[in-house]
Amino acid sequence: AALKLKEVHEVALEQASKAALKLKDSSKLFSSGEGSKQKVQSVAQKAQTVKETASAGSSQSQFLFFLIVICVSILGMLFFNRMQYYEKKHF
């Protein structure tokens, strides 16, 4: 049992060291060089574009909502006037 635990422990240490090497290699790729600065600027620009698009979509939705409210109000007023006309005519 102790031999199996030792083997399991060694395998776990080996996997951890491999993961640490991969992490170290990937951190070298994303070091503070020109490439990473361009990536950060690109991400910031995309975030700004998404923000502007969401804002434009929100204002368009608000405009359409108020347009629908106005149309429903006008139709309601027309129906109300027509109902008054029929009530006056029949009673």
Side-chain angles (χ1 to χ4, degrees):
L3 205 57
K4 286 185 180 181
L5 288 176
K6 184 178 178 183
E7 290 174 3
V8 170
H9 183 67
E10 286 177 2
V11 169
L13 281 176
E14 193 174 311
Q15 289 176 348
S17 65
K18 286 180 183 178
L21 286 174
K22 284 183 183 179
L23 185 61
K24 201 181 247 187
D25 290 341
S26 67
S27 69
K28 287 180 185 176
L29 291 174
F30 297 112
S31 63
S32 62
E34 287 298 318
S36 65
K37 288 180 184 178
Q38 289 176 351
K39 288 179 185 177
V40 169
Q41 288 175 349
S42 171
V43 169
Q45 185 179 12
K46 287 179 184 177
Q48 184 65 27
T49 303
V50 168
K51 184 178 177 182
E52 291 171 358
T53 303
S55 175
S58 175
S59 63
Q60 184 180 13
S61 296
Q62 288 177 348
F63 173 74
L64 289 175
F65 174 74
F66 287 122
L67 182 68
I68 289 172
V69 168
I70 290 170
C71 289
V72 169
S73 299
I74 290 172
L75 286 173
M77 192 172 63
L78 290 172
F79 290 146
F80 182 73
N81 286 340
R82 181 54 63 175
M83 290 303 290
Q84 282 185 335
Y85 168 76
Y86 284 130
E87 285 177 0
K88 287 180 185 177
K89 187 176 181 182
H90 291 293
F91 295 109

